[in-house]
Amino acid sequence: MRHIALTAAFALAAALAAPAHAGWYVSMHGTAESLTWKGANGQALNLSSKDGKGVVVAMITPDGRDGLHAGDRITAVDGQSVAHVKDLVTYANAHMQDPVKLTLERRGHAVHVALAAGKLGALVHPHP
């Protein structure tokens, strides 16, 4: 009887704790030319650089997160040219906690977006 009561107590504790940990999951896939992730909290990102002319933000949820919109093309980070997703990730890895300035092409116009310290690292390496 004590075994059943103990098992029930653990099951109840796990069931009550599950909603608190629901946002702790990130599904991620990346290659040299693409990076895709989706979090349980609804945030998501899809980057692509198939043409080698910058990193296209194919999708970002919520739109406007960190100043980025679907359709933006990241062409430089802190003045350094970015042709492929791997270039963006490599730069982020070397500057994980630094503020950075992105140069984007948005609807044919150059746009500059400043990211606070650690934001680029969090963008390419999301944590639950």
Side-chain angles (χ1 to χ4, degrees), residues 64-87:
R65 177 184 174 189
D66 297 324
L68 298 174
H69 298 277
D72 286 350
R73 180 182 299 263
I74 302 168
T75 57
V77 181
D78 288 338
Q80 293 187 20
S81 181
V82 174
H84 301 279
V85 169
K86 66 180 178 183
D87 302 332

Side-chain angles (χ1 to χ4, degrees), residues 11-69:
L12 180 61
L16 292 175
H21 299 290
W24 286 18
Y25 178 75
V26 175
S27 171
M28 187 170 174
H29 175 73
T31 68
E33 303 301 328
S34 68
L35 175 68
T36 303
W37 61 260
K38 183 176 182 179
N41 58 3
Q43 293 186 346
L45 179 70
N46 185 345
L47 301 176
S48 176
S49 60
K50 294 177 182 164
D51 64 4
K53 296 179 182 176
V55 177
V56 175
V57 179
M59 186 264 303
I60 187 164
T61 304
D63 193 46
R65 177 184 174 189
D66 297 324
L68 298 174
H69 298 277

Side-chain angles (χ1 to χ4, degrees), residues 112-125:
H112 299 284
V113 174
L115 298 181
K119 287 289 189 175
L120 181 60
L123 190 66
V124 299
H125 297 294

